[in-house]
Amino acid sequence: MSEKKSYGFTTTILHNDRQKPIEHGSLHKPIHTSVTFGYNDARQLASVFQGKEPGFRYGRQGNPTISALEDKITQMEDGVSTLCFATGMGAIGAVFQALLRAGDHIVSSSFLFGNTNSLWQTAAGQGVEVAFADATDVANVEAALTPATRLVFVETIANPRTQVADLARIGRLCRERGILFVVDNTMTSPYLFRPKTVGAGLVVNALTKSIGGHGNALGGSLTDTGEYDWSAFPNIAANYKRNAPAQWGMAQLRAKALRDFGASLAPEAAHHIAVGAETLALRMERASANALAVGRMLEADARVAAVYYPGLASHPQHALASDLFKAYGSLLSFELKDGIDCFDYLNRLKLGISASNLGDTRTLVIPVSHTIFYEMGAERRASMGIAESLIRVSVGIEDTADLLDDFRSALD
């Protein structure tokens, strides 16, 4: 491997499938729809099931199309291995399902995607204690740790208020304490940031978002970066310790979260995501530049009460984001001044589409408190700083001038 030429991000992703033989010279890994795989030698089948040699067992635990996507994500994150799931929430749920037990404790950023917050409530109801901390300062995370803490979970840029976690210092803290550091990289993507650089042991990506990029396939992934010593993790079952400790975590995740829990990615979705991933860098550069332009325009308008985007100098973690990320991402949110109805404003937009996805090629907008964070309740929203008028924007790759005109005109 050390003798192989090193290529840039996009070149690597474009040609990654061809690093292994592909049927008939295809440039993309084909869609393999078979859910079962036959062997001429029954001993080889047994060897594959026992993990003694590579191979495919059953579609619930992967197939050639999904394996090719997993290799691609591993390359993106500079990791050692990746597992793909049916959705991003399936990937986060796999961490809970496969690695945690009743009596365990986790520390989570208090600034979370609404469904992740709901998942942690489910975990708490099943005996896993969850402590929420303001992850923009490592001191808050450290204060929340207990002897039973098994992992710390943060998002790189929080959805929807764009708080930036104190990633490098939290990573050092986790390394010193032997705690698994899990980072959701969805809002930045592997192009803008690699959590491995701050000591993350597991990296979550909602493949539905920027990596797939076109809103046509659901998917999620967990990447093992190789930064965590799995021999220090107390919840690994004896039957997953047959191989080297570096493989223990992913072996248990594949068995418990895919084989047992069945949150499996479909091969058709894997193919869509793999093709979309080829243009990730190009899309992220354009969308990030558009988001910065829209954010600056809105911040300068007297009819806008507040704008939240890490690329703005006014953002509390602007300096931190500048140190960590290649650009500031495509997500921003803003509040309108009193007297301007957020629904009326959204209905006046011509290009911004009222929809709930993120990381699409098209610009998507949503009134946060009334939709994706509604179930959470007013008290929890207030604790997260989510105003009733907050509008979340996932900025797309449209022409910048057209977006600026659309968001400005809707204020008139």
Side-chain angles (χ1 to χ4, degrees):
M1 292 293 290
S2 60
E3 297 177 0
K4 293 179 69 175
K5 183 175 176 62
S6 178
Y7 291 103
F9 185 93
T10 297
T11 304
T12 299
I13 301 310
L14 278 172
H15 294 276
N16 192 68
D17 286 356
R18 297 173 58 244
Q19 301 310 303
K20 296 179 181 178
I22 307 181
E23 301 89 324
H24 312 298
S26 173
L27 298 185
H28 292 112
K29 190 68 175 177
I31 301 175
H32 289 263
T33 58
S34 179
V35 298
T36 191
F37 304 89
Y39 292 86
N40 293 326
D41 184 342
R43 291 182 179 85
Q44 184 184 15
L45 174 63
S47 184
V48 169
F49 263 77
Q50 293 170 19
K52 295 177 180 178
E53 63 177 291
F56 298 100
R57 310 173 189 180
Y58 186 68
R60 194 189 317 121
Q61 292 173 262
N63 81 2
T65 308
I66 297 164
S67 179
L69 175 61
E70 290 173 341
D71 287 345
K72 202 181 295 285
I73 304 302
T74 298
Q75 289 291 324
M76 287 182 174
E77 289 288 5
D78 190 26
V80 294
S81 60
T82 294
L83 292 177
C84 283
F85 298 86
T87 66
M89 286 307 304
I92 300 172
V95 175
F96 162 51
Q97 173 72 17
L99 298 180
L100 299 176
R101 299 174 180 173
D104 286 345
H105 178 268
I106 68 173
V107 177
S108 171
S109 171
S110 55
F111 309 120
L112 283 176
F113 174 48
N115 290 351
T116 307
N117 179 78
S118 179
L119 175 67
W120 292 150
Q121 291 177 7
T122 299
Q126 296 180 10
V128 174
E129 185 180 353
V130 183
F132 293 100
D134 179 347
T136 61
D137 186 340
V138 66
N140 300 323
V141 174
E142 184 172 18
L145 298 177
T146 77
T149 302
R150 299 289 173 252
L151 63 88
V152 172
F153 180 94
V154 303
E155 298 174 1
T156 51
I157 301 175
N159 169 15
R161 271 284 307 274
T162 74
Q163 297 94 336
V164 179
D166 194 359
L167 292 160
R169 293 180 181 85
I170 296 173
R172 285 196 291 271
L173 172 67
C174 290
R175 188 179 299 113
E176 291 167 1
R177 303 290 183 90
I179 295 170
L180 177 62
F181 187 27
V182 183
V183 175
D184 188 332
N185 199 26
T186 299
M187 292 299 101
T188 31
S189 85
Y191 177 65
L192 298 185
F193 178 63
R194 281 175 168 164
K196 177 180 179 177
T197 62
V198 295
L202 285 179
V203 180
V204 176
N205 279 289
L207 305 177
T208 314
K209 315 304 184 190
S210 298
I211 291 178
H214 295 77
N216 60 358
L218 291 166
S221 65
L222 284 175
T223 299
D224 186 336
T225 66
E227 291 294 304
Y228 181 70
D229 178 9
W230 287 101
S231 67
F233 198 77
N235 293 350
I236 301 296
N239 54 321
Y240 304 119
K241 294 182 178 180
R242 291 189 296 264
N243 298 316
Q247 301 175 32
W248 291 359
M250 291 306 255
Q252 184 157 309
L253 280 160
R254 183 177 292 278
K256 295 295 184 183
L258 287 178
R259 184 198 67 195
D260 297 354
F261 203 60
S264 308
L265 180 66
E268 294 89 346
H271 180 76
H272 282 304
I273 293 165
V275 173
E278 295 177 354
T279 58
L280 173 64
L282 309 180
R283 290 183 284 103
M284 289 305 296
E285 288 179 355
R286 176 61 170 262
S288 296
N290 277 349
L292 181 58
V294 171
R296 285 173 172 168
M297 183 274 291
L298 290 171
E299 188 175 50
D301 197 299
R303 293 165 292 186
V304 176
V307 181
Y308 307 102
Y309 183 67
L312 299 175
S314 59
H315 192 282
Q317 291 88 46
H318 174 68
L320 178 61
S322 300
D323 288 340
L324 289 168
F325 309 140
K326 187 176 296 185
Y328 303 101
S330 61
L331 180 76
L332 67 86
S333 59
F334 66 100
E335 300 167 19
L336 296 166
K337 286 282 183 71
D338 290 343
I340 304 176
D341 184 275
C342 67
F343 292 102
D344 291 340
Y345 175 82
L346 293 172
N347 289 341
R348 287 193 291 268
L349 291 171
K350 305 300 183 185
L351 296 178
I353 303 167
S354 292
S356 63
N357 194 23
L358 296 167
D360 200 299
T361 50
R362 300 159 186 82
T363 294
L364 308 177
V365 293
I366 194 166
V368 176
S369 294
H370 310 278
T371 54
I372 52 176
F373 279 70
Y374 178 74
E375 184 179 322
M376 182 178 294
E379 183 177 349
R380 179 78 172 110
R381 289 196 298 270
S383 73
M384 298 174 69
I386 298 173
E388 293 301 300
S389 66
L390 187 71
I391 293 171
R392 188 188 74 183
V393 186
S394 172
V395 182
I397 61 172
E398 296 94 343
D399 292 292
T400 308
D402 293 333
L403 283 178
L404 293 175
D405 179 66
D406 194 38
F407 278 83
R408 185 185 297 112
S409 297
L411 286 165
D412 295 334

